[in-house]
Amino acid sequence: MNKLTTVAHTLTAADRQAHYGHAGAVLWLTGLSGAGKSSLAMNLEHALTKLGYSCYVLDGDNVRRGLNANLGFSHEGRTENIRRVGEVASLFADAGLICIAAFISPYRADRARARACCRQTFHEIHVAADLATCETRDPKGLYKEARAGQIQEFTGISAPYEAPEQAECVVNSASETLAVSTEKLIFYVLANLPLTRNA
């Protein structure tokens, strides 16, 4: 039987904050496919880095090409996908970085589990866009395939999307430009995760 022992770090959260100039955090972007989560996450990463923050984006497609390549898109597969991502995001935050996680993450229970894993560092960002707008964009042609019955369990069509009930921040990508949504998130970060020193 394996015996696991927690290994304590000699660096504290305060040590890491002093090094990076800000607290570690998880900015969890959730929304329908086509809402613009990935574009917003990459824009935000770029803008925050220029301001002096240390950030990294975990994107749904990228993670499924590596860490979660063995998972499917069933309810169980999606739940495990988000569980793993929550654990990884938590490690980023513990390391003192700002992890920007861009995932559809359609189920409230899965996002709640990620929040519990990340504790007080978790910030839920709802990238809101109505289904009609997302279908119009359909950058990968997935909605068209889902409507034709070629994709099963597709969020918003044959599987539910449970919108956040109390997100820390909401941007509406259907009515706002990418630049406006990015600026809203920058202000949110500056207000809630202020820099403690200049870059």
Side-chain angles (χ1 to χ4, degrees), residues 8 10 24 28 45 51 58 68 110 117 131 146 160 175 187 190 193:
T10 57
W28 192 282
E45 179 188 45
L51 289 172
L58 290 177
N68 293 344
D110 293 344
C117 179
L131 180 60
S175 60
F187 284 139
L190 290 172
L193 300 162

Side-chain angles (χ1 to χ4, degrees), residues 51-153:
L51 289 172
Y53 288 89
S54 295
C55 316
Y56 190 78
V57 171
L58 290 177
D59 178 77
D61 283 355
N62 292 348
V63 168
R64 279 189 174 274
R65 287 192 180 96
L67 176 67
N68 293 344
N70 64 319
L71 297 177
F73 290 88
S74 65
H75 182 90
E76 294 76 14
R78 290 182 172 197
T79 292
E80 177 60 13
N81 181 52
I82 298 305
R83 186 195 70 79
R84 292 183 192 178
V85 171
E87 293 286 348
V88 172
S90 177
L91 293 175
F92 271 84
D94 285 348
L97 303 173
I98 293 179
C99 178
I100 305 169
F103 292 82
I104 295 173
S105 45
Y107 303 114
R108 292 190 189 108
D110 293 344
R111 297 194 303 269
R113 191 175 297 111
R115 181 187 290 275
C117 179
C118 299
R119 301 175 297 282
Q120 70 273 16
T121 67
F122 190 91
H123 302 256
E124 188 174 41
I125 314 290
H126 184 197
V127 184
D130 58 275
L131 180 60
T133 296
C134 292
E135 284 200 71
T136 299
R137 293 170 178 168
D138 202 12
K140 304 171 191 174
L142 298 177
Y143 282 105
K144 183 178 180 181
E145 291 181 17
R147 290 289 188 190
Q150 297 169 5
I151 301 177
Q152 303 301 314
E153 299 281 321

